[in-house]
Amino acid sequence: MNSLAELNESVKAYYCYTQPEVADHTSSHFHKEGYMDAVWLRQVIEELDATYYLCGPVSFMRSVYTELLALGVAADNIHYEFFGPKASLSPAPKSV
C-alpha cells in the first residue's frame, strides 16, 4: 500500500494496530493504536466529500462504515468488498 501512496499524492496510507508490538510504535507504518473511530478519522481525512473503499474483515469494515456515516459521509460514497460470502454492512432494521 505504501508504494501506491508514494506514486500518487492523492493516495494516503495510514496504519492502525489493535495490539502493536513495541517495534511497531517506532515504525513509519504506525499511526494509531486501537480501532479507527470518527474522531481519529476526522483528524486524518482532509475532505469528507470523497469516495471511500474498504476491504478487510467484516467487523473492521462495519466499524469503519458506521464511523464514516457518523461523520456525514454519504452511503453512496462508501464502497466495500467481501472476501467471502456477500453480506451488507448496513445495520439490520429494528423490529417493532
Side-chain angles (χ1 to χ4, degrees), residues 18-50:
T18 54
Q19 298 176 348
E21 302 288 328
V22 173
D24 293 327
H25 286 276
T26 59
S27 168
S28 63
H29 296 139
F30 179 84
H31 296 96
K32 181 181 185 331
E33 181 172 346
Y35 293 103
M36 287 187 252
D37 56 31
V39 172
W40 184 79
L41 286 170
R42 191 60 193 112
Q43 291 172 2
V44 298
I45 297 173
E46 296 173 18
E47 178 60 49
L48 290 174
D49 186 22

Side-chain angles (χ1 to χ4, degrees), residues 2-23:
N2 235 23
S3 61
L4 180 61
E6 291 168 359
L7 294 173
N8 186 329
E9 65 184 41
S10 297
V11 174
K12 300 199 178 21
Y14 297 97
Y15 300 86
C16 302
Y17 293 83
T18 54
Q19 298 176 348
E21 302 288 328
V22 173

Side-chain angles (χ1 to χ4, degrees), residues 43-61:
Q43 291 172 2
V44 298
I45 297 173
E46 296 173 18
E47 178 60 49
L48 290 174
D49 186 22
T51 303
Y52 300 85
Y53 296 93
L54 311 174
C55 63
V58 173
S59 60
F60 161 78
M61 291 194 305

